[in-house]
Amino acid sequence: MTDKDLLARLLGPPDAEIGCEECFARLDEFVELELGADDAEAAVPGMAAHLEGCPACREDYESLLELTRTT
């Protein structure tokens, strides 16, 4: 990993980011939009950036995504 990559990870994403509370509240909406082939990031700005940087929310997202794909 280069110094530039490390700095980018430290500073976080340049786009809007939401917090864990909002992420949890809107996670089902985000997953539904993704599965419906809608622009989920446009509907819930900052969600993708948050999921990329937050392991706990990412785990919830992946679990919900898997659950909805199997039902």
Side-chain angles (χ1 to χ4, degrees), residues 1-14 17 52-53:
M1 188 174 285
T2 68
D3 288 344
K4 185 178 179 180
D5 293 334
L6 289 173
L7 183 58
R9 289 189 74 180
L10 177 65
L11 294 176
E17 187 173 346
E52 185 177 318

Side-chain angles (χ1 to χ4, degrees), residues 17-68:
E17 187 173 346
I18 64 173
C20 293
E21 189 174 321
E22 184 178 355
C23 177
F24 183 74
R26 300 189 70 189
L27 194 56
D28 57 338
E29 173 190 359
F30 188 77
V31 168
E32 283 182 27
L33 290 165
E34 278 195 327
L35 293 174
D38 292 316
D39 189 355
E41 181 59 23
V44 188
M47 178 71 87
H50 182 80
L51 293 173
E52 185 177 318
C54 180
C57 289
R58 179 75 184 185
E59 185 177 330
D60 286 349
Y61 162 76
E62 289 173 353
S63 296
L64 183 58
L65 192 60
E66 184 65 29
L67 179 66
T68 56

